[in-house]
Every structure is written in C-alpha cells, then in structure tokens.
C-alpha cells in the first residue's frame, strides 16, 4: 500500500480523542497517574524524524478508509507545550443555542492555552466579531470554570445580518487582524459554518482592502496572511450531514423524554391520546428517536410523509392499541411534518382527526424551547469536550492549503470532514424534500437515520400476527443475566416484538440461567411487554448465576419448551455464561442452539463492544450527583470531594464521568498509581486553591486499588490538605443501576434487540438439519457489539483472547485514549509520545461506512 509521510508539527495530536496509542506503564514507582511515560525509540529509527506506524487501509463495513499513524521521536515530544506559541485562536457560538456548546468552548480555551496559544472569546456570535471592542476578550483558564454543566452558551449567540454583507465581514477581519487572530473556531449550524467558509475564502481580498484603506499595516497583513477555520456543529435538530450526532441533540432528547414520561402517567390515568410536537422544521431526528424511545404509536417526520390514506391507517392503529389493553396513545409530530403534497400536518389537525373519528379524549402538547434548555447530558459534555480538543488540533495543524473542516462524530470516533461537502449534502437533503424526492432525502440522511426508521416501522406499523403456538416458525427465549441495567427492558421489548412480527413464538425466562434451570419460563405476547421501554431495572428479574452447574436441568427445559434460540441480555456474566454454553455443547446436544449476547451493564466491561446498554444512564446519574456536589463545594469554598463510582475493575464510569463533570483526577485500575501520584494530586489541589476556583472533585473507581481505598484517599487528602482545604467523601453505590433509562440507552437497546432477533432468525434457519436445530459452529454463539462505527456479531470463543478474566475487563479499551483529555482539562502537565493522524475523510466515503445503528 502506498505510504505517505506527514510532517508532524506538533506534539501529540493528543488529544486526538479518538486515536491515542498508550505506551506500556512501568510497574515501578515512576509510573504516574497523571502522566504517560515517554518510551525511547529503537536505535534503528533514532535518526529518523518520524516513522510510519500504519500504511492502511482500514475498512469500515467493507469500505476502505485510509488511516495513517505517525510516531514522534523521543526528542520531539516536548513540542506539545510550544505548539501554539505565537498563535491566537478565537471561538464563537452562532445560530440557535444548544446544550454542550459550553463544554466545547471550555475545551477550546483550555487546550489552546495548554499548547501556548492565546485564546479569545467572541461574545454574541458573528455580531460580536463585526462589532469588536469588548465583544472580543482574551480568555483565561479560570474564566471557563463551572461552565461545563451549564446549558445554552455563556458567550452568547445572535443572528447577524451585518456579517452577511461584505462590509460586515471587512470589519470582522479588521478586528481579528488587530488582535493577531488567524484561527477561528465556529460552533453552530450549517448557516453559521457556511458564513465562516465564505469569510475564509474572501480573507486575502479583505486584507488587501484593509491595507489599501490604511486600516492595517503591511506587516499585520503578512502576519495574518491566511485564516484557518474549523467548525463544530451545535444544533439540537441533528440536521447536519456528516456527523452521527450534533452537539445538543442528546440533551434535547433528554428534555423530550422527561416530558413524555410525565405525560404518560396522566394519559394512562384518563385513557387519553396525547399529540406531542417537537422541534425539527427540516429534520425529523428528534421526533423519530423520541418515538423509538417511548414506544409511540405514530410519528410524523418531514423526510417521510405518510401514505395518502394515512388518516385511516392512524385511526386503525390507535384503535388496535386500545383493543390490546393499552390505556393511552402517544403520537409524536415534528414541527416540519408534511404530507406527500407538501401540505403541513399540524398537531391540531391530528387532534381534530382523532376526536372526530374515534371520539378519544385527545390533548396537544407543544414542547417548544424547553428542548433547548436545561443541563447538558453527559454525552453532550463529552462530545463537546472531544470536539473542542480536536478543533484546536485541526486549527494549529492548518496550512494555507488546508480546506476548512468540520469535526464530526462517527460511531465513537472523531473525524474531520471538508466543511463545504457536509454543508452541500445538508442542502441536498432540503432540496430533495422540496422536490418531493423523499426516498433520496432519507438516503442522504445516512444509514443510521434509515435504520431508525426501519425499526420504528416494524414496531409501530406492522400488525403483529394473531396465531401462536404450533403454527409459529421457531421458538426463541429471551433472558436477563447479571446485575440490573437501565435499558434491559427496552431490549426485551424489542426482541419480543420483532420475534412475534417474524412469526416466532417468543418465551421469556425469569431470573436468568437459574430460572432457565428451574423452568421459570412463560410465553410472551405483544401486550406482555407494553410500556417496558421507559422502565428501569429488569422486569424479568436477573441473577449472576452461571449455567455450568445446571447444564442437565437447562438441557431438559430447552427440550421441554422446544427452545431453538436464546437471546441473553446482560453483562460480564452473560458473556461468561455464553462461553460455558459453548463448552457444554460437548456434553449436551440440547445446548447446540444459536445464542446471542446483548451487552447490558453499567460497568461497560463486556468484551466485543465499545458500549453497553445501561452505561449512559449510570453516567448521567453520576454527572447529576457531581454537579450538585460541585455546587456545594463552590458555595463552601476550599472543599474537595472524593466520589466512589461502580464498575468493578473497569474504569469507564470514573473516567467518562470525570470528563463530563470536570473532575481534577480519576483513579482507575487500568492506569496504576502510587503514593507519589496521590501526593502530586494533593499538591495540584493545593495550588488550585490559590486561584479563584476553590474546590476539587476526585473520582475513584471502586476497585482501582485494593490498598488505596476510598477511605484511605479521603484520610490522605484530609491530612495533607489540613489548613488549606476540607475533604468529603461520597460512595454513590447502587443508585447508579437505577432510574429510568436515558434516550440513548432506550434507543440503543431497542435497535440492539431488533438486530439480535433478525440475526437469530437467520441463524436458526442455517442450523436446521434433519428435522431439528443443531448449531455447533463458533459463529452460532456471538456477542452483538458496537465496534467503532458498526454493529458486529463476534463469536464468544474468539473474544476469549481479548479478555482479562481475572479482572473481568477487555484487554483493550477504547476510552483509555480519552484520559489525556481529562488530565489536560484539569491542568496537569503531561507528556505523550504517540498519536493517530487526524485524517481528513470525504463525506461520501464516510457515509458509506456509517454505523448502522
């Protein structure tokens, strides 16, 4: 494969939130929790400046993506702290506000300062850029403190007519040149980003005009000869092509689901139908995901208008739901919903239809701007932080020939895409809808959007078969194993209903493998799982018991109930239970049936998947608690809180909650630490107390170290901080397993259940031989997991080599790459020696490889 050598100007593209390669930690006392060790390169490359680490190509669902890595030599790693010296970055938010923008601003400011650059706030968006003066102010490290958990944008946003005119852009250019700013980070929607690209393309002409007018000197013009632009997409509508999620979308879904859950209780009490209107003039993402997350009876979105006879179909659907015993109906409407002629479909139109034809007590709720407000979710805080970090790297790496780019999210990876390619595709979607080419509009939205739509149609529009029992095609059992996790019930509901739609007989097993051995099994119909999507915990009951000791009883019940496939929803016990079932096949033919494991655990420690159902809910629970604790600490001053999180030996919750809550440190098992590191962290907090930010937050994973317990760390901090700060501790415990699942967990679980059942039906047919099911191949027992950008089925036996069974964690965990971000944002001095190149992809190629979840 052709190799390209890139000249690495800067450190550590660190922080590239998606691709850091960790160096081996020393087991000696020099290993540091707040730094990574620099490893000297081998002699054969000592005189080389850079080394190619990978010459690609990577493939994503069969689509080649060129991925180039570089390794810095030992002599070059110190460039990190000087990368931005002599440079200036301005950050602004424009257009509609979105939760998570503040997290992005905070990351841009702190990482910019970390690299030695000067960073400026531009208040009130483009209007502030045009007006100049006090609207453009230099930022400090402390000036972005306590903004992580705030909604909206603290630096303000405004619509700006002046910037649309060349005269306005001329004034904006003058304001930037006078301050030496040649790097601009714009956080906003497609209109804001288009304006930025226009500004960049005109930059040379603007400087020429300013110089001719005598407003800037020739020297100033030379120093500011080109302008780098990087965009971050902040929009609650998720209407920008090229990214899986825009900043603010997840938080908006949180607001919507909170209201839907509240409305559901009153609707059930009075047997009412509720029509809820959500934002989305040109994009139905919020409405579509809300319908999946709450099990709505119908959704109206602009990308896919209903069929001509939709009124009759809707009323039949609502009537059938009531006939099956439901006491309520929920209809979700995007504000831009239309019929196939382009005529708007309003909430009032739908209400009048239902009242007139069915006589149901029907109410309308228009959510409006409540969707933009409130605290950002953990997802949006982390997304904003990662995007902000990547934006700084893109800006400082920029050259006059580098096209303006937008930092996007693909699966769990940050990528850079050409800004105008994304803008053009976004405009193509609008044009396709205006031209009534709705199928094309759906395709342009991407495979993720289309998959959401297909799952919704299956669960809401397909009539469940009436016949059951002997006439069913196959019999599939579903069960929960391990500790409870929010979203388990949503996965069960989806699995059961998709199975019924396919004509299968679906059984539910209570209390995991123990219930399977005892015969605690019953058949589930369509209504059995009604209303389960938004319920936390495990309705089926779940236990940690493994199957090995009960093979004989389990085999007997598999035969008795004619179980031909098994869907196991759970955590590490579900995975190890699957491995035991594979071993048991040698002794019991009855165990030779296909099974699939859907990872569901707050610990996120199941091998084969980057995410688990339930983790997002636990993360938000921790963040909410940390926000309240930080408020308390800010009020009392000079106080440090030590918080213990769950996760077993897996440090995912501690790390990600630390990133989302702005923690000063997060102790985890995967990154060993010593008493010297603890002392260094205490000293760091002592220095922090001398600033205006007189509080501290430290997270500790429950099994990070058997000797450095939460009590030990609390006592150490109390003693060493005596007279400087007080210490408090809080063990969050099982509250992290409770609560209603977040929109992410509901949606993720629903689609995982659907995909698992589709796989199961195909695998059962493959395994049918001689009048019975016999599945004895490795690929007949799989874990369904999300890996980078795709959902994949991986044989449990192949995952054994990737598993640390002693500590119940995967040997490699993607999120460890994000730990440097946590440390830099907490103002630690760190050295890194390796990074993955932040390559620029093209949107057409990126969308072909998009994760189909």
């Amino acid at each position: 494969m052709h190799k390209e050598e890139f000249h690495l100007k800067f450190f550590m593209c660190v922080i590239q939130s998606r691709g850091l390669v960790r160096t081996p930690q020393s087991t000696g006392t020099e290993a540091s929790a707040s730094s990574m060790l620099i490893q000297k390169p081998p002699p054969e490359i000592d005189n080389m400046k850079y080394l190619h680490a990978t010459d690609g190509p990577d493939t994503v669902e069969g689509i080649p993506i060129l991925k180039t890595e570089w390794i810095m030599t030992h002599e070059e790693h110190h460039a990190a702290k000087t990368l931005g010296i002599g440079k200036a970055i301005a950050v602004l938010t424009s257009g509609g506000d979105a939760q998570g923008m503040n997290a992005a601003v905070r990351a841009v400011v702190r990482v910019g300062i970390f690299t030695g650059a000067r960073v400026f706030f531009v208040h009130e968006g483009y209007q502030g850029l045009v007006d100049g003066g006090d609207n453009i102010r230099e930022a400090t490290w402390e000036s972005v403190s306590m903004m992580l958990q705030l909604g909206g944008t603290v630096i303000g946003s405004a619509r700006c007519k002046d910037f649309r005119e060349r005269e306005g852009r001329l004034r904006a250019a003058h304001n930037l040149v006078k301050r030496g700013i040649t790097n601009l980070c714009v956080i906003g929607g497609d209109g804001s980003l288009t304006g930025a690209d226009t500004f960049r393309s005109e930059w040379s002409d603007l400087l020429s005009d300013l110089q001719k007018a005598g407003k800037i000197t020739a020297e100033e013009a030379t120093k500011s000869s080109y302008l780098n632009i990087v965009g971050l997409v902040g929009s609650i509508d998720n209407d920008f092509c090229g990214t899986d999620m825009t900043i603010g979308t997840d938080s908006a879904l949180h607001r919507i689901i909170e209201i839907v859950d509240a409305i559901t209780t009153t609707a059930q009490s009075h047997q009412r139908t509720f029509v809820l209107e959500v934002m989305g003039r040109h994009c139905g993402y919020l409405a579509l995901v809300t319908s999946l997350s709450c099990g709505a009876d119908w959704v109206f979105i602009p990308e896919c208008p209903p069929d001509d006879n939709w009124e009759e179909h809707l009323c039949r659907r609502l009537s059938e739901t009531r006939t099956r015993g439901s006491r309520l109906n929920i209809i979700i409407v995007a504000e831009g919903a239309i019929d196939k002629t382009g005529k708007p479909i309003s909430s009032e139109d739908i209400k009048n239809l239902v009242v007139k034809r069915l006589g149901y007590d029907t109410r309308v709720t228009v959510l409006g701007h409540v969707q933009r407000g409130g605290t950002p979710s953990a997802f949006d805080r982390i997304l904003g932080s990662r995007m902000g970090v990547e934006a700084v790297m893109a800006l400082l790496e920029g050259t006059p020939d580098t096209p303006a780019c937008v930092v996007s999210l693909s699966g769990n990876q940050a990528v850079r895409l050409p800004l105008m390619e994304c803008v053009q595709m976004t405009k193509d979607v609008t044009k396709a809808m205006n031209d009534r080419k709705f199928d094309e509009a759906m395709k342009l939205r991407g495979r993720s959007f289309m998959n959401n739509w297909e799952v919704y149609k299956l669960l809401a529009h397909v009539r469940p078969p009436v016949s059951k029992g002997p006439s069913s095609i196959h019999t599939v059992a579903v069960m929960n194993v391990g500790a409870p996790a929010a979203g388990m019930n949503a996965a069960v509901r989806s699995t059961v209903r998709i199975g019924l739609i396919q004509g299968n007989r679906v059984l539910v097993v209570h209390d995991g493998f123990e219930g399977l051995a005892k015969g605690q099994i019953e058949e589930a119909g369509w209504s059995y799982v009604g209303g389960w999507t938004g319920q936390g915990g495990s309705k089926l009951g779940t236990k940690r018991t493994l199957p090995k000791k009960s093979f004989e009883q389990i085999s007997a019940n598999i035969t008795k109930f004619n179980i031909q496939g098994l869907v196991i929803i759970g955590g590490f016990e579900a995975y190890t239970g699957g491995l035991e079932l594979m071993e048991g096949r040698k002794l019991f033919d009855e165990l030779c049936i296909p099974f699939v494991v859907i990872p569901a655990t707050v610990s996120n420690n199941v091998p084969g998947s980057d995410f688990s159902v339930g983790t997002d809910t636990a993360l938000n629970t921790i963040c909410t608690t940390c926000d309240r604790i930080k408020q308390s600490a800010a009020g009392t001053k000079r106080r440090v809180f030590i918080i213990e999180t769950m996760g077993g030996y897996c440090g995912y919750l501690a790390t990600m909650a630390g990133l989302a809550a702005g923690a000063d440190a997060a102790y985890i098992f995967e990154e060993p630490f010593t008493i010297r590191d603890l002392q260094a962290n205490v000293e760091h907090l002592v220095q922090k107390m001398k600033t205006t930010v007189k509080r501290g937050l430290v997270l500790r994973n429950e099994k990070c170290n058997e000797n450095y317990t939460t009590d030990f760390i609390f006592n150490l901090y109390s003693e060493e901080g005596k007279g400087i700060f007080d210490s408090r501790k809080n063990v969050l415990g099982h509250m992290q397993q409770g609560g209603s699942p977040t929109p992410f967990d509901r949606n993720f679980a629903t689609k995982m259940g659907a995909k698992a059942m589709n796989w199961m039906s195909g695998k059962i047919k493959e395994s049918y031989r001689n009048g019975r099911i016999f599945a004895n191949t490795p690929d007949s027992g799989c874990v369904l997991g999300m890996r980078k950008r795709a959902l994949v089925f991986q044989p449990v036996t192949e995952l054994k080599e990737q598993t640390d069974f002693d500590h119940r964690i995967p040997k490699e965990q993607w999120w460890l790459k994000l730990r440097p971000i946590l440390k830099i944002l907490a103002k630690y001095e760190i050295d890194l020696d390796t990074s993955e190149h932040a390559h620029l992809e093209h949107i057409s190629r990126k969308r072909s490889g998009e994760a189909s979840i």
Side-chain angles (χ1 to χ4, degrees):
M1 187 70 186
H2 174 66
K3 294 184 178 181
E4 295 181 66
E5 188 156 343
F6 289 86
H7 176 64
L8 182 55
K9 294 181 178 178
F10 54 97
F11 84 121
M12 81 181 206
C13 261
V14 146
I15 340 186
Q16 289 189 353
S17 42
R18 58 209 192 295
L20 184 69
V21 181
R22 297 177 76 232
T23 55
Q25 288 279 8
S26 168
T27 55
T29 57
E30 67 276 0
S32 172
S34 59
S35 66
M36 288 175 136
L37 302 181
I38 301 303
Q39 198 174 33
K40 186 169 181 176
E44 62 269 21
I45 64 164
D46 224 7
N47 295 322
M48 291 176 61
K49 199 162 189 182
Y50 305 109
L51 171 74
H52 299 102
T54 304
D55 58 1
D58 253 3
T59 59
V60 178
E61 295 188 356
I63 306 298
I65 301 284
L66 180 63
K67 177 172 131 182
T68 307
E69 293 177 348
W70 49 43
I71 297 179
M72 298 175 66
T73 63
H74 182 65
E75 290 75 15
E76 296 291 330
H77 77 270
H78 291 295
K81 294 288 292 183
T82 59
L83 176 61
I85 289 178
K87 298 180 180 180
I89 299 170
V91 57
L92 65 86
T93 54
S94 178
D97 65 303
Q99 308 96 319
M101 281 183 166
N102 291 325
V105 171
R106 172 179 176 267
V108 169
V109 169
R110 290 194 169 178
V111 176
I113 292 173
F114 175 85
T115 61
R118 298 175 69 196
V119 185
F120 291 82
F121 292 132
V122 179
H123 292 267
E124 314 309 333
Y126 283 120
Q127 192 63 56
L129 200 62
V130 172
D131 295 342
D134 287 342
N135 289 306
I136 305 176
R137 304 176 206 163
E138 187 163 359
T140 65
W141 194 276
E142 287 83 11
S143 64
V144 292
S145 181
M146 284 299 281
M147 68 189 296
L148 189 60
Q149 64 269 34
L150 299 178
T153 165
V154 298
I155 60 174
S157 178
R159 310 287 181 184
C160 180
K161 292 182 180 179
D162 293 340
F163 194 76
R164 296 176 185 174
E165 305 297 328
R166 195 174 190 280
E167 180 59 33
R169 295 193 291 274
L170 195 66
R171 290 165 57 194
H174 177 258
N175 289 327
L176 291 181
V177 171
K178 284 299 181 181
R179 291 167 176 81
I181 299 169
T182 57
N183 300 282
L184 185 61
C185 177
V186 178
I187 307 170
D190 60 330
S192 303
L193 301 185
T194 302
D197 190 72
T198 302
F199 191 39
R200 182 181 189 272
S201 64
E202 294 179 348
W203 185 254
S204 295
D205 292 337
L206 294 173
L207 293 193
S208 179
D209 289 354
L210 288 170
Q211 191 175 346
K212 287 177 184 177
K215 293 185 177 180
I216 63 172
T217 65
E219 184 182 357
E220 287 174 329
T222 302
K223 285 183 178 179
S224 303
S225 59
Y226 66 92
L227 178 69
N228 290 321
I229 295 284
V230 172
L232 304 181
V233 191
S235 167
I236 68 166
D237 293 336
N238 203 31
D239 57 354
F240 192 82
C241 292
T243 185
D244 289 350
M245 288 284 273
T246 57
I247 295 170
T249 303
D250 187 66
S251 300
L253 286 168
H254 274 251
R255 300 296 90 77
I256 296 169
I257 291 300
E258 286 166 8
I259 293 167
V260 171
D261 286 350
I263 281 176
T264 297
T265 57
T266 182
Q268 284 176 330
S269 301
H270 297 277
Q271 298 191 62
R272 284 179 176 149
T273 295
F274 268 87
V275 183
L276 281 86
E277 182 180 303
V278 301
M279 285 185 168
R281 276 178 295 171
H282 306 295
C283 180
Y285 184 87
L286 288 179
L288 179 54
V289 174
T290 298
S291 68
L292 281 174
S293 300
C294 71
D297 296 287
W298 199 283
V299 65
F300 292 89
I301 60 173
E303 292 88 347
C304 193
D307 294 331
D308 293 336
N309 62 340
W310 66 268
E311 295 92 345
E312 181 182 338
H313 188 182
L314 171 63
C315 291
R316 185 178 70 244
R317 169 72 182 164
L318 300 181
S319 180
E320 288 174 353
T321 304
R322 293 291 180 98
T323 302
R324 287 195 296 267
S326 177
R327 292 177 57 86
L328 78 158
N329 299 112
I330 299 290
I331 301 168
I332 308 296
V333 188
E335 61 179 331
I338 55 175
D339 64 17
K340 290 203 168 178
T341 67
K343 179 185 175 184
I345 299 175
S346 71
S347 304
E348 286 296 329
D349 292 338
I350 298 166
K351 173 192 171 182
N352 294 335
L353 171 70
V354 174
V355 171
K356 182 178 178 180
R357 295 204 184 181
L358 298 176
Y360 292 167
D361 184 1
T362 306
R363 305 296 169 92
V364 172
T365 299
V366 179
L367 271 59
H369 282 74
V370 69
Q371 296 160 85
R372 289 194 187 277
T375 301
S377 65
F379 183 95
D380 274 330
R381 299 183 199 192
I382 295 167
L383 177 63
S385 297
R386 292 179 68 184
M387 299 301 99
V389 166
E390 186 65 33
V392 173
M393 293 301 101
L395 287 169
L396 298 182
E397 187 187 3
T399 68
D401 300 323
T402 306
C405 74
V406 60
V407 178
S408 301
L409 180 72
S410 181
N412 69 350
Q413 296 193 302
V415 296
R416 299 179 196 172
L417 299 172
L419 189 153
M420 290 314 295
E421 282 188 25
C422 298
V423 169
Q424 186 57 52
M425 185 168 281
T426 303
K427 290 179 178 177
D428 289 345
V429 176
T430 304
K431 185 177 184 301
M433 288 194 290
N434 291 337
D435 294 343
R436 309 286 181 266
K437 296 178 181 178
F438 298 109
D439 289 341
E440 183 181 337
M442 288 287 282
K443 289 177 184 176
L444 288 170
R445 284 286 183 222
R447 287 176 57 187
S448 178
F449 191 96
M450 289 181 67
N451 192 57
N452 279 329
W453 179 250
E454 292 303 321
V455 173
Y456 157 73
K457 285 197 301 183
L458 275 176
L459 292 173
H461 283 227
V462 177
R463 287 186 178 185
V466 178
S467 60
K468 298 174 186 171
S471 63
S472 299
I473 300 174
H474 303 296
T475 301
V476 180
V478 58
M479 61 196 292
N480 294 156
V481 174
M488 276 183 164
N489 296 323
V492 171
R493 171 185 175 272
S494 175
T495 304
V496 169
R497 290 193 169 177
I498 295 295
L500 293 173
I501 287 168
Q502 293 172 345
N504 297 318
R505 175 171 168 254
V506 183
L507 305 177
V508 292
V509 181
H510 297 273
D511 296 336
F513 286 116
E514 185 177 310
L516 186 59
K518 293 180 178 179
Q520 296 171 218
I521 303 167
E522 62 178 317
E523 187 169 344
W526 190 269
S527 299
Y528 186 92
V529 290
W532 280 29
T533 308
Q535 297 190 32
S538 169
K539 297 274 287 183
L540 294 181
T542 179
K543 292 191 175 181
R544 297 179 182 270
T545 310
L546 295 175
K548 193 171 184 178
K549 295 180 181 179
S550 308
F551 277 160
E552 193 168 334
Q553 298 95 313
I554 288 173
S555 298
N557 282 322
I558 287 175
T559 301
K560 178 181 176 181
F561 290 93
N562 191 31
I563 297 172
Q564 299 167 311
L566 194 59
V567 178
I568 307 168
I569 302 165
F572 200 84
E573 289 83 1
Y575 163 67
T576 51
L579 285 171
E580 289 188 3
L581 290 177
M582 294 295 284
E583 287 294 318
R585 288 177 174 181
K586 299 173 185 176
L587 302 174
F588 298 91
D589 285 351
E590 293 86 351
L591 298 180
C592 294
I593 59 172
F595 70 84
V596 59
V597 175
I598 297 176
T601 168
V602 301
S603 301
N604 199 34
N605 64 336
V606 178
S609 188
D610 293 341
F611 296 104
S612 299
V613 173
T615 308
D616 187 67
T617 304
L619 198 53
N620 277 278
T621 300
I622 298 169
C623 278
T624 301
T625 305
C626 288
D627 287 349
R628 293 173 179 175
I629 285 172
K630 283 176 71 176
Q631 276 188 332
S632 171
T636 53
K637 301 284 193 300
R638 299 185 180 277
R639 184 162 286 178
V640 175
F641 279 85
I642 295 99
I643 311 296
E644 182 184 297
T645 66
M646 295 180 83
Y649 287 99
C650 181
Y652 177 85
L653 285 180
T655 296
M656 301 303 269
L659 192 55
D664 294 282
Y667 300 118
I668 63 171
F669 169 78
E670 292 90 344
E671 195 170 279
F673 58 95
T674 69
I675 191 66
R676 290 179 177 82
D677 299 312
L678 293 174
Q679 290 173 329
N681 293 144
V682 172
E683 180 57 31
H684 180 268
L685 286 166
V686 168
Q687 296 303 317
K688 186 178 181 182
M689 296 300 161
K690 296 177 182 177
T691 70
T692 58
V693 186
K694 302 181 186 301
R695 65 179 178 282
L697 180 67
V698 175
L699 300 182
R700 178 191 176 274
N701 168 246
E702 61 183 344
K703 291 187 177 180
C704 64
N705 189 297
E706 62 181 343
N707 295 313
Y708 299 142
T709 62
T710 301
D711 286 338
F712 177 92
I713 293 174
F714 166 70
N715 290 333
L716 176 69
Y717 274 60
S718 298
E719 181 61 30
E720 296 296 318
K722 192 175 291 183
I724 302 169
F725 59 79
D726 295 329
S727 297
R728 298 288 187 274
K729 63 179 176 179
N730 195 328
V731 178
L732 301 185
H734 284 77
M735 66 180 291
Q736 297 162 82
Q737 290 181 347
S740 297
T742 59
F744 181 93
D745 277 331
R746 298 184 195 197
N747 191 27
F748 189 42
T750 297
K751 288 185 285 188
M752 291 280 273
K755 198 168 184 77
M757 185 53 83
N758 286 331
W759 175 90
M760 180 62 69
S761 295
K763 193 58 67 176
I764 289 176
K765 290 175 184 176
E766 282 181 27
S767 307
Y768 192 81
R769 60 192 70 167
N770 301 323
R772 58 164 289 195
I773 303 298
F774 188 82
N776 202 25
T777 57
D779 67 352
S780 63
C782 289
V783 170
L784 170 58
M786 183 178 178
R787 283 293 180 97
K788 292 186 177 179
R789 305 181 186 183
L791 287 178
V792 291
F793 291 91
Q794 301 151 99
V796 291
T797 50
E798 291 182 9
L799 293 172
K800 286 179 69 175
E801 293 299 316
Q802 303 173 27
T803 307
D804 176 355
F805 286 98
D806 290 338
H807 300 106
R808 296 161 53 90
I809 55 174
K811 290 180 180 177
E812 292 186 8
Q813 301 182 86
W814 69 273
W815 51 266
L816 286 168
K817 302 166 188 174
L818 303 185
R819 286 192 57 84
I821 301 178
L822 189 158
K823 295 167 187 174
I824 287 172
L825 295 179
K827 210 173 184 178
Y828 278 94
E829 304 290 333
I830 68 169
D831 291 325
L832 299 164
D833 71 336
T834 14
S835 71
E836 183 179 274
H837 178 51
H839 55 279
L840 192 71
E841 297 183 4
H842 289 283
I843 188 169
S844 56
R845 179 175 290 182
K846 183 258 171 190
R847 298 198 76 74
S848 299
E850 198 173 55
S852 57
I853 56 169

